[in-house]
Amino acid sequence: MSTVRHMARQARAASNLLGVASAGARDGVLRRAAAALRSACPELLEANARDLDGARALLAAGELDASAFQRLKVDAAKVEEMARGLEAVAGLRDPLGRVDLRRLLDEGLELQRVSVPLGVLAVIFESRPDAAVQIGALAIKSGNAALLKGGREAAASVRALVDILRRCLEEEGLPGDALQVLQDRADVDALLALDGDVDLVIPRGSSALVRSIKARTRIPVLGHAEGVCHLYIDAAADPAMAVALARDGKLQYPAACNATETVLLHRDCAPVILPLLARGLPGTELRGCPRCRALLPDLVPASEADWDAEYGAPILALRVVDDLDAALAHIRAHGSAHTEAIVTEDPDAAARFLREVDAAGVYHNASTRFADGYRYGFGAEVGISTSRIHARGPVGIEGLVTVKYLLRGHGQIVADYAGPGGRPFLHRDLSPGT
Amino acid sequence: MSTVRHMARQARAASNLLGVASAGARDGVLRRAAAALRSACPELLEANARDLDGARALLAAGELDASAFQRLKVDAAKVEEMARGLEAVAGLRDPLGRVDLRRLLDEGLELQRVSVPLGVLAVIFESRPDAAVQIGALAIKSGNAALLKGGREAAASVRALVDILRRCLEEEGLPGDALQVLQDRADVDALLALDGDVDLVIPRGSSALVRSIKARTRIPVLGHAEGVCHLYIDAAADPAMAVALARDGKLQYPAACNATETVLLHRDCAPVILPLLARGLPGTELRGCPRCRALLPDLVPASEADWDAEYGAPILALRVVDDLDAALAHIRAHGSAHTEAIVTEDPDAAARFLREVDAAGVYHNASTRFADGYRYGFGAEVGISTSRIHARGPVGIEGLVTVKYLLRGHGQIVADYAGPGGRPFLHRDLSPGT
């Protein structure tokens, strides 16, 4: 058996134990880990310093970019932030053992549907070492085991952080093997072949990372490869609101997946709103379609490729459309089903947009940047999914559980309910309680 | 663009329209189709007769087995059954537009999570022509388009049935392309490569079919390749109940995926219960482990392969285990996470079993044969899933929907809520209403 398969099997066994551990024990691990992180701060900074030394060489050789180098850095404030993150996850409601269906199939034959862990997660992230702690905490809270692989430049930091979490699991009488660190890219390749042993792959990083993982595995992947989000400015839009939403959508954090990439303008309002946009988004490169450029000749010409671009930068594509139908058609053709917004004072246009756009998030008079697990009040975010299977949109810790059906009887057999003259089912729903 | 990709794109466009059609229109299609099936009965029987002629040749050539030939047959009673099935699906509660979360992120900024269709289904089934009607009805009800591929021996029957459904869609002003028939195996291969264009593959048929499809696609597959279900007879089992559950589990319908394949017996009760089982399951081939055969020398010796066998026939494997832990270990090693049952009067043993067994269904004192969407009261069954992602266990029509998040605001921007001094979120849950 390959090493990675062996690790996955150990993770499965650990998950079986963790999944039936009490909420108190799972939360206990997280609280212990918060304290342990704080007291191990010097050692963590030391491990991170080793990573930073290596990363400087990669940076000089052009194998690591400056922003990845920044994300790699851990200081005392970052350690405190991780510790607080652990405590916050400990404080979330237990996602396990929740009963969402209770039904008497017949007197004395009760069906329940109850939440249980998915089992074994694989988490692949890039340079941020704190990703290991965040996702490790969510895994422990939800009774899942996780195989973790960070960027090679973060190896020492990730190892030091995960060692602490493993020790805290064992101090609480739980298996440390619930969290394991993969070594290198060959391990990741081996891991991605383990459908059956791994239940869900969670990539945390660039869309290039997500795309590459999706292309290489049959294991379900929670994530989104692209975030091409639109703001459609309807004829009946409030101009000041339209500009504010475009500015926030594009500039509040341009690298985010929920940033607005293209603004579509109804032809009737374009003459008024285009100049306002140009003034309202200073420092932003505006790329316009020919109809935009007829109104505002200074715009950079947009090419076909702009309609599919996720800039991750202060660049915004602009297109004039004839009407709502044309806007909907553009979004169908170029949207990534992430988050789409309309700005309008016309309730009918808003209703049609909310109804007809097929995306994880569809907004009326709100910034696309709201698409986020914390802003939605989920307490934690596992990722944002543009898949239609399992979870869609921002995914909280509920995305890490599945269900099982429990049936409690008194010896009932199916033959008694079968065929003509068979006993009918009762199918009476009971209150799920907790 | 390949023909099949083109069909899938047409299906997507049809699904976009069907998904926003009213419940009345979608149910109207189904009621029309029920009437149309009844009046087209002669033509349907004629099309089926053509299939049966061809199938006789396949049967003679050994390319089709006798049970598949039986399943291919359509008579007037079967047509009436299909018509009633359509009316029953029309009578189910609308699975679309259901709001399961309503939350004020802030005053005047309301988040809703609402159910929407998955989009494009691919349904691959074998010789039963009525499968096309069943799944076609569930697809229309849930606003999904479906690409259908039946066994080649059923081609004329499937075509005739789907033509009726397509005509009824169009009579209701909806796109007939929501249901399309694939021609041959090459089409299926092309289809299975269309991740991105097809959202879910639903195989209806043998576990060999499911396994072959799972191995060939990256599209999520709803189904189960195996159903190796166990009944564990605990030391504290009521002997008569144990025998009744084993008999029902094995013999009520041996070909079902939820049939009991292996009975595990606690060593303390084995001497009493083994002879009762042998008497209680006449005509069943009992294959026993050495400890069983020491108690009942007539048993056929079981080999290692028996512990993993899904017989689909009146054959039952029997194994004596030392205790509950040994039973749990056997189930972990050999179960297919479908449905597992314990029979015991000991509440502690039952509680441990329900808690620790990791399967879609875990039962106490009830037959494994209860694992079924109709018996669970789902009104319809799309399939039974042993996957942990999306849906697990018997899947009703809810397995054909996903969600989208709607956010309705008044121009709110994220910048106002960001950083220190930012406005806090309210996160007040409202009653979901409908």
Side-chain angles (χ1 to χ4, degrees):
Chain A
M1 195 184 300
S2 80
T3 314
V4 177
R5 185 180 293 266
H6 182 66
M7 289 170 77
R9 298 280 165 90
Q10 287 176 309
R12 173 76 62 197
S15 146
N16 286 337
L17 295 172
L18 196 58
V20 298
S22 70
R26 284 175 278 124
D27 291 342
V29 174
L30 302 178
R31 295 211 171 86
R32 264 176 207 276
L37 243 59
R38 288 186 181 110
S39 42
C41 187
E43 293 84 344
L44 291 171
L45 300 192
E46 207 176 283
N48 187 243
R50 287 201 299 279
D51 282 338
L52 289 172
D53 280 348
R56 263 177 219 107
L58 294 172
L59 192 63
E63 290 176 43
L64 192 75
D65 64 35
S67 67
F69 185 81
Q70 281 306 319
R71 288 194 294 273
L72 176 58
K73 276 190 190 165
V74 174
D75 56 18
K78 196 85 186 169
V79 171
E80 177 58 25
E81 197 185 291
M82 289 188 246
R84 290 203 184 151
L86 284 161
E87 288 163 345
V89 173
L92 293 176
R93 188 157 78 124
D94 187 8
L96 301 182
R98 286 161 69 171
V99 176
D100 73 337
L101 178 148
R102 268 185 75 199
R103 179 174 291 163
L104 281 181
L105 304 191
D106 194 358
E107 293 299 346
L109 185 63
E110 183 180 328
L111 184 70
Q112 288 194 355
R113 184 167 57 199
V114 57
S115 61
V116 296
L118 281 179
V120 178
L121 315 176
V123 186
I124 300 167
F125 51 102
E126 295 178 322
S127 53
R128 290 178 49 177
D130 48 326
V133 175
Q134 279 173 14
I135 200 77
L138 293 170
I140 292 168
K141 177 83 182 184
S142 56
N144 288 289
L147 301 174
L148 305 163
K149 171 69 177 74
R152 60 178 168 149
E153 66 280 8
S157 313
V158 167
R159 170 62 70 190
L161 290 164
V162 174
D163 278 349
I164 290 175
L165 291 171
R166 285 173 59 100
R167 204 173 59 230
C168 294
L169 279 161
E170 290 178 354
E171 285 172 3
E172 200 70 45
L174 294 170
D177 281 345
L179 293 182
Q180 297 177 60
V181 176
L182 297 185
Q183 295 306 324
D184 52 32
R185 291 198 186 178
D187 281 357
V188 174
D189 290 335
L191 178 80
L192 293 178
L194 296 182
D195 36 323
D197 289 306
V198 174
D199 299 302
L200 187 66
V201 178
I202 306 175
R204 309 262 280 200
S206 66
S207 43
L209 175 77
V210 179
R211 251 193 307 271
S212 134
I213 287 171
K214 284 197 172 184
R216 286 190 289 155
T217 189
R218 291 179 196 280
I219 306 169
V221 176
L222 191 152
H224 57 282
E226 279 160 347
V228 181
C229 304
H230 299 79
L231 176 69
Y232 166 57
I233 304 179
D234 187 48
D238 173 298
M241 188 191 290
V243 174
L245 292 179
R247 188 172 46 222
D248 192 72
K250 179 77 260 180
L251 296 179
Q252 203 267 331
Y253 184 37
C257 59
N258 55 17
T260 302
E261 306 296 351
T262 300
V263 169
L264 302 170
L265 299 108
H266 191 288
R267 62 177 173 190
D268 291 351
C269 67
V272 171
I273 291 185
L274 262 181
L276 297 177
L277 279 177
R279 249 176 299 160
L281 281 80
T284 305
E285 179 180 324
L286 300 179
R287 300 187 183 174
C289 70
R291 292 165 81 180
C292 288
R293 297 183 64 237
L295 293 164
L296 216 63
D298 285 353
L299 297 180
V300 179
S303 71
E304 266 306 300
D306 281 298
W307 310 135
D308 298 310
E310 185 177 4
Y311 299 113
I315 305 171
L316 184 66
L318 298 169
R319 187 175 200 177
V320 171
V321 294
D322 282 340
D323 53 18
L324 176 56
D325 284 306
L328 292 170
H330 179 100
I331 290 170
R332 260 200 305 278
H334 301 285
S336 59
H338 190 299
T339 304
E340 308 291 354
I342 184 174
V343 47
T344 186
E345 299 300 308
D346 173 358
D348 294 337
R352 268 199 69 199
F353 191 88
L354 291 177
R355 201 170 148 82
E356 295 186 23
V357 172
D358 175 23
V362 194
Y363 293 2
H364 174 213
N365 290 352
S367 164
T368 58
R369 291 273 299 121
F370 279 106
D372 173 280
Y374 293 96
R375 290 175 200 138
Y376 279 9
F378 294 167
E381 185 176 280
V382 174
I384 296 186
S385 169
T386 53
S387 160
R388 296 153 166 281
I389 299 297
H390 187 58
R392 195 181 195 205
V395 181
I397 199 165
E398 283 72 16
L400 300 184
V401 303
T402 181
V403 293
K404 69 180 179 186
Y405 286 91
L406 304 180
L407 184 65
R408 294 178 171 95
H410 293 84
Q412 283 88 345
I413 60 174
V414 162
D416 288 341
Y417 299 84
R423 202 176 153 79
F425 283 102
L426 190 61
H427 290 155
R428 189 203 303 149
D429 283 335
L430 306 173
S431 152
T434 15
Chain B
M1 197 184 297
S2 81
T3 315
V4 178
R5 186 181 292 267
H6 183 66
M7 291 170 74
R9 298 280 165 90
Q10 286 176 309
R12 173 78 60 198
S15 148
N16 286 337
L17 295 171
L18 195 58
V20 298
S22 70
R26 284 175 278 125
D27 291 342
V29 175
L30 302 178
R31 295 210 171 85
R32 267 177 204 275
L37 243 59
R38 288 186 180 109
S39 42
C41 187
E43 294 84 345
L44 290 172
L45 301 190
E46 208 177 283
N48 187 242
R50 287 201 300 280
D51 282 337
L52 290 170
D53 280 347
R56 262 177 219 107
L58 293 171
L59 192 62
E63 290 178 42
L64 193 75
D65 63 36
S67 68
F69 185 81
Q70 281 307 319
R71 288 194 295 272
L72 177 57
K73 276 190 191 163
V74 174
D75 56 17
K78 195 85 189 168
V79 171
E80 177 57 26
E81 197 184 291
M82 288 188 248
R84 290 203 183 150
L86 284 161
E87 288 164 344
V89 173
L92 293 177
R93 187 157 80 124
D94 186 8
L96 301 182
R98 286 162 68 174
V99 176
D100 72 338
L101 178 147
R102 266 185 76 199
R103 180 174 292 163
L104 281 181
L105 305 190
D106 196 358
E107 293 299 345
L109 185 62
E110 183 181 327
L111 184 71
Q112 288 193 355
R113 185 167 58 199
V114 58
S115 61
V116 296
L118 281 179
V120 179
L121 314 176
V123 186
I124 300 166
F125 51 103
E126 295 178 324
S127 51
R128 292 179 48 178
D130 49 326
V133 176
Q134 280 174 13
I135 199 79
L138 293 171
I140 292 168
K141 177 82 182 185
S142 55
N144 288 289
L147 301 174
L148 305 163
K149 171 69 178 72
R152 60 180 169 149
E153 66 279 8
S157 314
V158 168
R159 169 62 72 190
L161 290 164
V162 173
D163 278 350
I164 290 175
L165 291 171
R166 286 172 60 99
R167 203 171 63 230
C168 294
L169 278 161
E170 289 177 353
E171 285 171 6
E172 199 70 45
L174 294 170
D177 281 344
L179 293 182
Q180 297 179 61
V181 176
L182 297 185
Q183 294 307 324
D184 52 31
R185 291 198 185 178
D187 281 359
V188 174
D189 289 336
L191 177 81
L192 294 178
L194 295 182
D195 37 322
D197 288 306
V198 174
D199 299 303
L200 186 67
V201 178
I202 305 176
R204 307 261 280 198
S206 66
S207 43
L209 175 76
V210 180
R211 249 193 306 271
S212 133
I213 287 171
K214 284 198 170 181
R216 286 190 289 155
T217 189
R218 289 178 196 282
I219 306 169
V221 177
L222 192 151
H224 57 282
E226 279 161 347
V228 180
C229 304
H230 299 79
L231 176 69
Y232 165 57
I233 304 179
D234 187 47
D238 173 299
M241 186 191 291
V243 174
L245 292 179
R247 187 170 48 222
D248 192 72
K250 178 77 264 180
L251 296 179
Q252 204 267 333
Y253 185 37
C257 60
N258 55 17
T260 301
E261 305 297 351
T262 300
V263 169
L264 303 170
L265 299 107
H266 190 287
R267 62 177 173 189
D268 292 350
C269 67
V272 172
I273 292 185
L274 261 181
L276 298 177
L277 279 177
R279 248 175 299 161
L281 281 79
T284 305
E285 179 180 325
L286 300 179
R287 300 188 184 172
C289 69
R291 291 165 81 179
C292 287
R293 298 183 64 237
L295 294 164
L296 215 63
D298 284 355
L299 298 181
V300 179
S303 69
E304 266 305 299
D306 281 296
W307 311 134
D308 299 310
E310 185 176 6
Y311 299 114
I315 305 171
L316 184 66
L318 299 168
R319 187 176 200 177
V320 171
V321 294
D322 283 337
D323 53 19
L324 176 56
D325 284 307
L328 293 170
H330 179 100
I331 290 169
R332 260 199 306 277
H334 301 285
S336 60
H338 190 298
T339 304
E340 309 291 353
I342 184 174
V343 46
T344 187
E345 299 300 308
D346 173 0
D348 293 338
R352 268 199 69 198
F353 191 88
L354 291 177
R355 199 170 149 83
E356 295 186 22
V357 172
D358 174 23
V362 193
Y363 293 3
H364 174 213
N365 290 352
S367 165
T368 58
R369 290 273 298 121
F370 279 104
D372 173 282
Y374 293 96
R375 290 176 199 136
Y376 280 9
F378 294 166
E381 184 176 280
V382 174
I384 295 187
S385 169
T386 52
S387 160
R388 297 153 166 281
I389 298 298
H390 187 57
R392 194 183 193 203
V395 181
I397 199 165
E398 282 72 16
L400 300 184
V401 303
T402 181
V403 293
K404 69 180 178 185
Y405 286 90
L406 304 180
L407 183 65
R408 293 177 171 95
H410 293 84
Q412 284 87 346
I413 59 174
V414 162
D416 288 341
Y417 298 84
R423 204 175 151 79
F425 284 102
L426 191 61
H427 291 154
R428 188 202 306 149
D429 283 336
L430 307 173
S431 153
T434 36

